Amino acid sequence: MATIGSRQREGDFIERSVYCESEYDRLQEVLMCPPAYMTIKEVINHTQQHYFRENIDVARATKQFNEFIEFLVNMSIRVELLPPAPTLPEQVFTRDIGVVIANRLILSSMEHSIRRGEEKALEAWLRKQVIPFTKVQSGSLEGGDIMIDGHQIWVGVGNRTSPEVVDELRALFPSHQVSAIAVRPRYLHLDCILNVIAPGVALAYVDAFDIEDLATLRRFYRLIEVTEDEQFRLATNVLSLGEGCIISLPQNRRVNEELGKAGLEVYEIDITEITKSGGSFRCITFPLRRGGVFVGD
């Protein structure tokens, strides 16, 4: 992997920092992209297959997206917006085009042709913002397959993220434990079947995992299990704001009640027009900074 955008001469420019060491520390700054050109152009997951004929009402999706942003801003979270491109119908799912681990931003290498080009759009934004980034040198990597929990990094290996990337991440983060988890072809990304939402607590669709992987996860977490129907409604794809606060769809009421029983505070927001394309709150948010001290620019 090669890091791009580093300081060349003192005074040339000021780099912006990024930092994330978990999925549940206090969310400080997030990158999102408006669904201005969102459409199911080519079916690439089983959720899209269900909604292909109905497709996306862009006006409704935009309204829901803006309401979600308003909520985040009111929670004192800084929201950065990536300019949408008419040739990139899946660009709203910013989580997939990169990932921040510790103080490094890793630029994804998208597997599916319909999503290629999103990396270039993000790269242009990062250069403009003077945020250094690291490019994957072998195989494919999509951010939805990366789950961070302190020194533990889970990597979903399947149709979207290749096993070669696991070794790259191990070399780049030698002080972390990087562990591969098999993601079956039916499921788009790891975050469609698993989400670490608080210390020692994770949402999981247990039927999606191999026996060995499930046993490993149970050693790390208390698993709040979701049903097959709830997995289809993306019940695992919630967003943790930190300090025990979770954003979830109101349609997943039973799961939300279980989260409450676990001592978490759940905020229900409707983005079901966006979820027709196979991604929910985690998918449409790319955390640039969690925890630590936020320093405004």
Side-chain angles (χ1 to χ4, degrees):
M1 292 185 177
T3 299
I4 300 171
S6 299
R7 186 183 303 276
Q8 297 176 0
R9 293 193 310 268
E10 189 66 30
D12 276 357
F13 49 75
I14 299 175
E15 293 178 357
R16 286 181 54 185
S17 64
V18 294
Y19 186 81
C20 288
E21 277 282 22
S22 81
E23 303 294 330
Y24 48 77
D25 287 330
R26 172 70 173 159
L27 184 60
Q28 302 277 0
E29 185 176 5
V30 66
L31 179 64
M32 301 176 69
C33 183
Y37 304 105
M38 188 179 184
T39 184
I40 305 174
K41 184 177 180 180
E42 178 184 341
V43 173
I44 58 174
N45 61 62
H46 70 289
T47 306
Q48 287 186 349
Q49 186 173 22
H50 183 81
Y51 290 106
F52 180 64
R53 289 176 181 247
E54 181 180 341
N55 223 287
I56 308 296
D57 183 332
V58 172
R60 186 167 183 259
T62 300
K63 181 176 182 293
Q64 292 178 345
F65 182 86
N66 290 338
E67 289 172 349
F68 179 41
I69 286 183
E70 183 179 2
F71 177 87
L72 294 176
V73 171
N74 288 338
M75 296 291 284
S76 300
I77 297 166
R78 176 173 177 160
V79 178
E80 299 272 11
L81 291 178
L82 192 65
T87 57
L88 301 173
E90 305 284 334
Q91 200 179 12
V92 67
F93 301 122
T94 55
R95 174 74 69 147
D96 296 329
I97 52 179
V99 59
V100 173
I101 302 175
N103 59 356
R104 285 178 178 267
L105 189 149
I106 312 298
L107 188 64
S108 292
S109 176
M110 310 300 280
E111 172 63 25
H112 203 286
S113 58
I114 200 170
R115 302 207 60 180
R116 290 177 196 149
E118 293 181 35
E119 315 100 303
K120 292 185 181 295
L122 175 57
E123 181 175 341
W125 185 85
L126 292 171
R127 290 184 183 277
K128 185 176 181 180
Q129 299 295 320
V130 198
I131 299 176
F133 57 92
T134 301
K135 284 188 173 183
V136 173
Q137 298 299 302
S138 66
S140 60
L141 178 148
E142 299 189 6
D145 280 323
I146 307 296
M147 201 74 58
I148 312 161
D149 188 4
H151 290 290
Q152 178 66 49
I153 302 173
W154 304 105
V155 182
V157 174
N159 285 345
R160 298 307 185 89
T161 297
S162 57
E164 297 89 343
V165 170
V166 176
D167 290 332
E168 283 197 71
L169 292 175
R170 285 172 178 159
L172 190 60
F173 300 99
S175 64
H176 288 67
Q177 177 66 40
V178 182
S179 304
I181 295 179
V183 177
R184 297 172 187 169
R186 174 177 175 80
Y187 306 106
L188 186 61
H189 291 118
L190 180 62
D191 63 9
C192 294
I193 55 176
L194 176 73
N195 198 345
V196 180
I197 54 175
V201 182
L203 281 167
Y205 178 49
V206 297
D207 290 348
F209 295 97
D210 295 342
I211 294 174
E212 296 82 2
D213 288 342
L214 182 58
T216 298
L217 290 172
R218 289 194 188 280
R219 287 198 297 269
F220 278 81
Y221 305 108
R222 170 195 169 189
L223 298 182
I224 299 176
E225 299 183 17
V226 307
T227 66
E228 182 178 4
D229 287 343
E230 290 165 341
Q231 188 281 326
F232 180 78
R233 294 196 301 271
L234 298 164
T236 63
N237 205 260
V238 301
L239 177 68
S240 173
L241 302 183
E243 301 173 357
C245 297
I246 305 292
I247 311 296
S248 181
L249 291 170
Q251 289 77 10
N252 292 316
R253 183 57 52 84
R254 188 199 67 84
V255 175
N256 296 344
E257 290 175 353
E258 291 300 313
L259 293 173
K261 292 176 184 177
L264 301 168
E265 184 174 5
V266 179
Y267 295 91
E268 295 182 342
I269 298 176
D270 186 3
I271 58 164
T272 47
E273 197 63 32
I274 293 172
T275 62
K276 287 180 181 178
S277 202
S280 191
F281 296 105
R282 188 180 192 272
C283 289
I284 67 173
T285 52
F286 178 4
L288 297 176
R289 195 180 294 150
R290 279 188 183 272
V293 178
F294 176 71
V295 179
D297 297 319

